[in-house]
Amino acid sequence: MNALLIIINILVLFALMFGLFMMQKKHVSFSKRVFTALGLGIIFGFIIHLIYGTTHEVTTGSIDWFNIVGYGYVKLLQMVVMPLVFISIVAAFTKLKLTKNIGKISFLVIGILLGTTAISAAVGVGSALGFGLDGIQLNAGDAEKARNAQLEERVAGVENMTLPQQIIELIPSNPFQDLTGARPTSTIAVVIFAVFIGIAYLGVKRKESEHGEFFARIIDTAYSIVMRVVTLILRLTPYGILAIITRVTATSDYEAIAKLGKFVVASYVALIVMFIVHLLLLSFVKLNPRNYVKKGLPTLTFAFTSRTSAGTLPMTIKTQTKDLGVSEGIANFAGSFGLSIGQNGCAGIYPAMLAVMVAPAAGVDPTSFSFILTLILVVAISSFGVAGVGGGATFAALIVLSIMNLPIAIVGLLISVEPLIDMGRTALNVSGAMTAGVLTSKATGEFDQETYQQPNIVEA
């Protein structure tokens, strides 16, 4: 009987996917298809949860099949991340788009990412204090105790990690290994490797023009092919979102969310405030924030549902270049650096909130100016090397709490609401990267104002 019910659920998913396909055939806009998929997934997932619960065989069996669509789509995006980053940055050199301002671009992108992370830490502190969050009141169940046992194993390495060591981790020792995404900092390592290839190309072009032109043609051809692959994958976005959000709503532990509701609400208040800060920064440079929201929403929606900044990278870059008027080189720099440096949600708000919550248990006054200032500085500096996948916030929190000599057990106590909060954190991470790209492009004079102001959204 359970097998039959699972098959029925699969057929329902296929029916919903067919409906999205028909919308595409009728040329319904990409953003409308994305939000339709989001709404259908929420309704379908909640119905499954309401009928069977989170642990029933029908739920787990159905989700197992749904993951072929959801996780399969995410894996396709991750498949193209490294080729896209490498080829796009090298192509920016062959197209003479990064030769003059590469130092300024790198400085601005990293500076904006770290600056907004410091602001997000301050916002996290304010939210935690405003809501009166207290980590002492949290209780550990079996899942939380198991999680804390795992965290203890990771702490030893985190405590011994200095800032110079984190910076060294960004440098590639084996670029071919980094092209496989073997390390959390592989994306930044690939960026560095691609920059060296680009600079070498410029030297070869000056001394051996024929070889330089031949290399440029190869890169331009590879770039066209990779971007075509990206376009093909992005067309699957509504189907991926449908499957992913169905899984999230069907398997969420709503009782645990209710118990930790105060922390969830405080987290999302901080995330929303920080998103407003992004919009204010755009307004400060005389850009209409409404255009940013309208054009960036499909990308932010996918980041929200998938919980992976790395998997969202192709959409992050394409949204910047095709919709927001950012130059290709800057879009790749901002998107790639944003995966491991200065993640506003995972490396900024989350660690700061946890530090404020556990400070009283360590005999520290979380309202003191010295504590808050130290915390903001530690959060900003330690935001180097945070992985752009699920779990990056946990790693960032471990680093910050360890450096501040605060207890780390609270990280495990929040395991039941981690997925829900991580959705918002990931969307904010991506927004931070796109904001850095727009602001940097504007500051360096490589911004296409007309593209940014166009009301239409380029279809994927």
Side-chain angles (χ1 to χ4, degrees), residues 242-262:
L242 171 65
I244 291 170
I245 200 64
T246 298
R247 174 183 59 81
V248 171
T249 51
T251 59
S252 292
D253 187 345
Y254 294 104
E255 291 184 5
I257 292 173
K259 291 179 182 177
L260 294 172
K262 192 175 180 181

Side-chain angles (χ1 to χ4, degrees), residues 74-271:
V74 172
K75 283 184 174 293
L76 287 176
L77 283 170
Q78 292 172 336
M79 170 190 74
V80 80
V81 165
M82 292 305 180
L84 175 63
V85 170
F86 178 76
I87 292 294
S88 296
I89 291 178
V90 176
F93 280 91
T94 61
K95 296 176 181 178
L96 301 178
K97 293 183 178 180
L98 280 178
T99 54
K100 296 180 180 179
N101 293 325
I102 183 171
K104 185 177 181 181
I105 289 170
S106 301
F107 177 79
L108 285 173
V109 167
I110 295 175
I112 292 170
L113 288 171
L114 293 181
T116 52
T117 299
I119 296 173
S120 68
V123 171
V125 170
S127 182
L129 292 176
F131 279 85
L133 299 181
D134 187 355
I136 299 176
Q137 298 176 356
L138 298 178
N139 297 317
D142 293 337
E144 287 76 12
K145 290 177 181 178
R147 176 63 169 168
N148 279 330
Q150 294 175 355
L151 293 176
E152 290 290 347
E153 298 176 0
R154 299 182 63 181
V155 168
V158 172
E159 288 179 335
N160 296 324
M161 184 177 292
T162 64
L163 178 60
Q165 289 172 337
Q166 293 180 50
I167 294 174
I168 290 173
E169 281 295 307
L170 302 179
I171 301 173
S173 59
N174 184 346
F176 298 101
Q177 180 186 31
D178 284 318
L179 283 167
T180 67
R183 302 183 299 145
T185 56
S186 284
T187 306
I188 301 301
V190 169
V191 171
I192 295 172
F193 178 58
V195 169
F196 272 98
I197 294 293
I199 293 173
Y201 156 77
L202 295 176
V204 170
K205 184 183 178 183
R206 283 194 303 268
K207 297 180 180 180
E208 303 174 73
S209 60
E210 291 184 3
H211 290 169
E213 291 174 3
F214 178 69
F215 179 78
R217 287 197 298 271
I218 293 174
I219 293 298
D220 289 347
T221 301
Y223 177 79
S224 297
I225 292 174
V226 168
M227 289 308 298
R228 183 58 182 169
V229 172
V230 169
T231 300
L232 291 174
I233 295 173
L234 291 184
R235 286 178 178 172
L236 303 175
T237 300
Y239 312 111
I241 287 179
L242 171 65
I244 291 170
I245 200 64
T246 298
R247 174 183 59 81
V248 171
T249 51
T251 59
S252 292
D253 187 345
Y254 294 104
E255 291 184 5
I257 292 173
K259 291 179 182 177
L260 294 172
K262 192 175 180 181
F263 178 73
V264 174
V265 171
S267 296
Y268 270 92
V269 167
L271 292 170

